[in-house]
Amino acid sequence: MHHIFILLGTNEGNREENLRRAMDVISKNGIHIKSSSAVYVSEPWGFNAQTKFLNKVILGESPLKPEQILDLFLHTEEQMGRKRKQGEGYSSRLIDIDLLFYDDVVMETNRLILPHPRLHERRFTLLPLAEIDKDFIHPVLKKPVWKLLEECADTGAVHALKKHG
């Protein structure tokens, strides 16, 4: 079984329900959810939007390979109604599911880069990630998550919505 860290994000529709639904679909398709962070509220990153994002990080276990997990996430996003806009950069979304870490695997294909290439630049990712495993060592940067959070230049406001149950 492989340990994977997943980021969920949404700023359209019923955001809390989008997160619950994504977790439900993921858990029914080969990923055992071991723990999840609180839900965090953050400003959009890299673009402007009226609605703030809700984000959370999940720690899961799966026998699936990285590209199989990517396919599962893309299929889940599509099933939930996400429409990807090609070449337009960041935009509002019903659901976004990102694979942050897959064990300590480092890989780059035309479809997938592990670990996620920008996670260390994003406070909205690092805060919930630190809640789950602040001591996890980034396999490329060779620093624990807490240190990445401490060094993160992102000054965007991020706060917990509520504790998970």
Side-chain angles (χ1 to χ4, degrees), residues 11 43-45 47-53 91-92:
N11 78 325
E43 298 291 333
W45 192 90
F47 73 103
N48 294 316
Q50 295 284 348
T51 309
K52 293 182 180 181
F53 272 82
S91 64
S92 293

Side-chain angles (χ1 to χ4, degrees), residues 31-159:
I31 297 175
H32 170 70
I33 296 173
K34 293 185 63 170
S35 64
S36 67
S37 73
V39 174
Y40 286 78
V41 180
S42 65
E43 298 291 333
W45 192 90
F47 73 103
N48 294 316
Q50 295 284 348
T51 309
K52 293 182 180 181
F53 272 82
L54 296 186
N55 296 287
K56 75 183 312 177
V57 170
I58 300 166
L59 171 60
E61 286 183 333
S62 179
L64 300 174
K65 294 181 174 146
E67 298 244 351
Q68 292 173 307
I69 292 171
L70 175 63
D71 290 339
L72 167 64
F73 291 173
L74 293 173
H75 182 71
T76 301
E77 289 176 351
E78 187 178 314
Q79 276 186 310
M80 290 182 64
R82 178 169 180 186
K83 307 285 187 231
R84 288 188 176 268
K85 297 172 182 151
Q86 297 299 321
E88 292 185 27
Y90 299 113
S91 64
S92 293
R93 62 209 65 177
L94 189 69
I95 192 68
D96 188 34
I97 309 171
D98 289 335
L99 181 57
L100 302 175
F101 295 112
Y102 180 96
D103 294 327
D104 59 357
V105 169
V106 176
M107 68 178 277
E108 185 170 349
T109 70
N110 60 343
R111 296 185 63 221
L112 180 63
I113 300 172
L114 288 173
H116 190 287
R118 288 171 302 283
L119 74 88
H120 63 286
E121 300 171 356
R122 298 172 171 179
R123 188 168 174 77
F124 69 85
T125 301
L126 291 169
L127 268 174
L129 184 58
E131 180 185 327
I132 292 179
D133 191 348
K134 66 181 176 46
D135 295 320
F136 184 82
I137 304 293
H138 190 293
V140 173
L141 301 176
K142 307 294 187 203
K143 296 177 183 179
V145 170
W146 68 265
K147 186 69 171 169
L148 296 175
L149 181 56
E150 191 177 86
E151 295 174 351
C152 184
D154 180 5
T155 57
V158 181
H159 66 274

